[in-house]
Amino acid sequence: MAAEPPAAEPLATPVFDAHTHLDAMATRAGLEPDDAFVAKVMAEAAAVGVVAAVTVGDTVASSEWCVRAANGHPDVYATVAVHPTEIAGLDDAGYSVLERLADDPRVVAIGETGLDYYWDRTEPAEQQEHFRRHIALAKRVGKALMIHDRDAHADVLRILREEGAPDRVVFHAFSGDADLARECVAAGYVLSFPGVITFKNAPQLRAAAAVTPVDRVLVETDAPFLTPHPWRGRPNAPRLLPATVRALAAAGGHDLDELCATVTETGRRVYGNVIVG
Ligand SMILES: [Zn+2]
């Protein structure tokens, strides 16, 4: 494992990390994902102005972990779901656990769920059926839907239309171009931008940011993945989010402090009146 990068330059106006995997951060670093680990990550993040984080479930077990972590730290919130590449074996018993967890007041969204046609681990038809069940769950519990869309833009949008999208939909790690961004904005969705927006080879993502209104964006690390430039290839962490926020401000033509304040407001609107303070 490469050495951990230092913290990013602090932000003057606080912001929150809309999508991270605190459990995977620990296990990838060979550490125990315990309360002390979470407290350390969140303290380092707060020191640079990243004052809250949403830790995202991608299996039943990780969803249970996320809900525990969110109940153990005042600035951590959780989501619950099974990731489209992890759905093999997900049955009614698994859904009852997700359903019970989803009611926890610290759970702010159902996700990450969606379609992933990049990794051919699971059949598209099977993924689509589970995506529909997650959409239904989000509507039943009245929480946001957090979408994972990898190489599956058209089918994700089609299924949302067919099922009737929940009121609040977030495209996590948005990976489309300006046309897809316009389509998502027209449908009322929120786009969460990851560290990829700092990469030299991602001009289309910056073009997408340029056509997305400031009140429709969130920012995320997806830690330990998608580490922003100049730390690409090393493990990501919420304390590196300021680099992504600055790149998004530049791409979208936003004032940095206004962007941070608006992201917090959007977080409250999408995830409920609990995020950031
Ligand atoms: Zn993720």
Side-chain angles (χ1 to χ4, degrees):
M1 177 65 69
E4 298 216 348
E9 194 191 326
L11 294 165
T13 304
V15 76
F16 79 102
D17 186 345
H19 182 118
T20 192
H21 299 272
L22 297 175
D23 52 348
M25 280 179 65
T27 45
R28 278 213 151 193
L31 301 168
E32 202 53 51
D34 55 16
D35 289 352
F37 177 83
V38 171
K40 179 172 177 284
V41 169
M42 295 308 296
E44 288 171 354
V48 295
V50 180
V51 297
V54 178
T55 191
V56 172
D58 50 18
T59 63
V60 172
S62 104
S63 297
E64 286 176 317
W65 185 90
C66 290
V67 174
R68 270 201 311 278
N71 278 282
H73 194 289
D75 303 321
V76 174
Y77 299 88
T79 74
V80 301
V82 175
H83 190 285
T85 60
E86 303 285 343
I87 50 171
L90 175 60
D91 55 11
D92 287 348
Y95 275 103
S96 347
V97 176
L98 291 180
E99 183 124 23
R100 175 175 55 74
L101 293 170
D103 270 332
D104 190 289
R106 304 290 295 182
V107 170
V108 297
I110 302 304
E112 53 189 298
T113 178
L115 302 173
D116 191 317
Y117 295 167
Y118 178 81
W119 301 103
D120 57 356
R121 262 187 258 170
T122 35
E123 287 299 320
E126 200 186 344
Q127 291 189 32
Q128 292 176 20
E129 187 198 315
H130 285 283
F131 182 30
R132 291 180 197 274
R133 283 188 77 163
H134 279 77
I135 294 171
L137 176 58
K139 291 202 279 195
R140 202 151 58 237
V141 297
K143 296 194 177 176
L145 183 72
M146 181 188 279
I147 305 247
H148 171 98
D149 161 24
R150 189 150 187 203
D151 297 347
H153 305 323
D155 279 356
V156 165
L157 292 174
R158 174 178 59 80
I159 289 171
L160 283 170
R161 270 196 311 271
E162 287 172 4
E163 294 295 315
D167 294 339
R168 295 162 289 153
V169 174
V170 178
F171 274 66
H172 126 71
F174 182 77
S175 59
D177 58 11
D179 285 343
L180 185 70
R182 282 193 199 92
E183 204 172 339
C184 288
V185 167
Y189 307 151
V190 168
L191 281 52
S192 182
F193 285 88
V196 177
I197 198 164
T198 67
F199 296 176
K200 255 202 189 78
N201 62 355
Q204 64 145 32
L205 192 59
R206 286 185 285 277
V211 301
T212 307
V214 67
D215 62 353
R216 292 297 192 80
V217 301
L218 291 173
V219 284
E220 65 170 72
T221 57
D222 202 17
F225 316 106
L226 305 184
T227 311
H229 176 80
W231 308 292
R232 202 173 168 180
R234 296 156 81 182
N236 200 0
R239 71 176 184 284
L240 303 180
L241 186 63
T244 301
V245 182
R246 288 191 170 90
L248 177 60
H254 311 303
D255 172 76
L256 181 62
D257 292 304
E258 191 202 325
L259 172 63
C260 292
T262 310
V263 159
T264 297
E265 274 171 40
T266 304
R268 289 204 183 101
R269 192 175 78 235
V270 171
Y271 291 142
N273 201 20
V274 286
I275 294 286
V276 194

